[in-house]
Amino acid sequence: MERQDLNKQFYNYLWAYILVALSGCLGNVVDGIIVGNLIDADGVSAIALSKPVNQFIFTLHLLINAGAGMLVGYALGRKEVKDARRFFTIALTTSMGLGLLLALFGGILFPEQTTRLLCNNEQLMPLARDYMQVLLIGNPAFILMWGLSTMVGVNGQPKLVSLAVIIDNALNLFLDIVFIQWFGWGITGSSAATVVGHLVGIAILLTHWRKPENRRLALDYHTDASVTSCQTLGRIVSQGAPLAIASISLTLLLFSANRIVLSTLGQTGIFAFAVCMNLLQVYNLFLSGTCQTLQSLGAIQVGKGDREGFRLVLRKAFRFITIAMAITCLVVWIDPELIASLFGADNAAYISETDTALRIFALSFIPFCYIYVLMIVYKLYHHHHMALFISFALSLTVIPVLWVMAKWHPGALWYSYLIAYLIEAAAIFILHRVTHASFSQPGKFGK
């Protein structure tokens, strides 16, 4: 009966987190479609050039809140409520402080310099600046929304997280039309709509603490003489480091790839790349649901010391991600032209380039998803060296391959991601064997 309960719990978490990811995926994809049709293809490209900013903000969340979420899960599994509260308090306070600093320096004091760092095309510069400035000023709302989502989920209410994120993204899409078309705010309206949506989502998540039983996880600033705030923050950062490093690497990759693609293939290429990054959102729909289930439910099983329960969660996670990726890849291969046209591709050159890129990226993202899930597994099994290696290599492997392909074979530039991920998969296999890492006897399980 206990295994049946765990099986049910797995799917409760999985489908709740998939609804969260689905809402976010639709929000990003449909947001791009709305911008492409209400503004133009340059608007889609400007948002793509702003992706490193989004990714950096998300990195702050991963470093602090995602790392703390695992530690909160371990603590709740061991029924150590005091420790769970300490991690929760330090995480939210620190992440919000970092978000406010980023808003001040990037969004208020130096918006022009930030934009020029990411965009070297004068035609796209005004659109990118208008979009990025609001994004940076509103970034504390992003961090708080994601942080509360992590904590509410691990505290046993993933369905409330789903509701909050769905309403957040639905409001974002509605306000896109209102702000862009009715108010005439242009691309600024797109980023403003996102910030307002997050604020509403935060209000919904805060209702979690109306129930007394949920207040076991609450802000608690009482100091513990045996554990300093710096020690707690150190544990949080250590736990979240692999995820954050992977995200930082992805930020660097997005920055480098945008510049390489724009200089090699021009505006046609950067549009195709933007559409492919939206395709990644579809893969992320399943990847995010799987990984968040592993992080929340898997961490609780680790806290309990339940090896068999943890392995059951792992088997179900890998089975689900495999089926989901196969179906997604097949759909893209059937009709890539339809996807290109959805984002405002209105001439043969844009459609042709995007069709080619989409087919290749549909295959490239399959090894990416497996590698990312594997990083979570290594972290939960306490193989920290393997998790750190993957977090560094996941994106940084792609950059030199992109550079070499752009220089020596620009016609095959889109194959860079697939080649890089296959190289990384081989490197992970070799390092796993050399370091004698094992998934059969996890060290320090439940401690």
Side-chain angles (χ1 to χ4, degrees), residues 180-227:
I180 295 173
Q181 190 167 31
W182 297 355
F183 287 11
W185 290 359
I187 201 167
T188 302
S190 179
S191 49
T194 305
V195 174
V196 173
H198 282 336
L199 291 173
V200 173
I202 289 167
I204 294 170
L205 288 171
L206 289 174
T207 64
H208 174 74
W209 283 274
R210 292 177 61 185
K211 296 181 179 179
E213 62 268 24
N214 293 331
R215 293 174 193 161
R216 61 176 181 166
L217 190 62
L219 292 174
D220 185 354
Y221 289 98
H222 292 95
T223 58
D224 186 338
S226 62
V227 184

Side-chain angles (χ1 to χ4, degrees), residues 179-364:
F179 291 164
I180 295 173
Q181 190 167 31
W182 297 355
F183 287 11
W185 290 359
I187 201 167
T188 302
S190 179
S191 49
T194 305
V195 174
V196 173
H198 282 336
L199 291 173
V200 173
I202 289 167
I204 294 170
L205 288 171
L206 289 174
T207 64
H208 174 74
W209 283 274
R210 292 177 61 185
K211 296 181 179 179
E213 62 268 24
N214 293 331
R215 293 174 193 161
R216 61 176 181 166
L217 190 62
L219 292 174
D220 185 354
Y221 289 98
H222 292 95
T223 58
D224 186 338
S226 62
V227 184
T228 67
S229 297
C230 288
Q231 289 173 324
T232 301
L233 182 59
R235 286 192 63 189
I236 289 171
V237 170
S238 175
Q239 192 71 25
L243 297 174
I245 290 170
S247 185
I248 290 172
S249 300
L250 184 55
T251 303
L252 181 59
L253 171 58
L254 287 170
F255 171 76
S256 303
N258 280 337
R259 287 189 166 253
I260 291 171
V261 171
L262 189 58
S263 61
T264 305
L265 301 176
Q267 286 180 233
T268 303
I270 199 65
F271 174 81
F273 186 61
V275 176
C276 290
M277 290 301 100
N278 277 284
L279 172 63
L280 178 58
Q281 294 291 332
V282 178
Y283 279 85
N284 187 61
L285 159 67
F286 308 113
L287 180 62
S288 178
T290 302
C291 289
Q292 288 194 66
T293 300
L294 273 177
Q295 288 174 224
S296 298
L297 189 56
I300 290 171
Q301 302 311 307
V302 171
K304 292 179 179 178
D306 186 353
R307 286 187 176 88
E308 289 305 314
F310 182 55
R311 288 168 182 159
L312 175 64
V313 172
L314 288 182
R315 287 195 299 271
K316 289 184 173 297
F318 273 100
R319 186 183 306 134
F320 175 80
I321 196 69
T322 300
I323 295 171
M325 288 189 303
I327 293 173
T328 303
C329 188
L330 180 62
V331 169
V332 172
W333 269 73
I334 289 173
D335 196 356
E337 187 173 330
L338 174 62
I339 299 172
S341 63
L342 282 174
F343 286 89
D346 55 2
N347 63 61
Y350 273 59
I351 292 173
S352 176
E353 189 72 46
T354 306
D355 284 1
T356 301
L358 279 170
R359 288 181 183 272
I360 298 168
F361 272 88
L363 293 173
S364 304

Side-chain angles (χ1 to χ4, degrees), residues 103 106-109 111 115 128-138 191:
I108 297 174
L109 298 179
T115 306
R129 182 192 182 282
D130 290 347
Y131 185 83
M132 274 190 238
Q133 185 171 24
V134 176
L135 188 71
L136 284 164
I137 292 173
S191 49

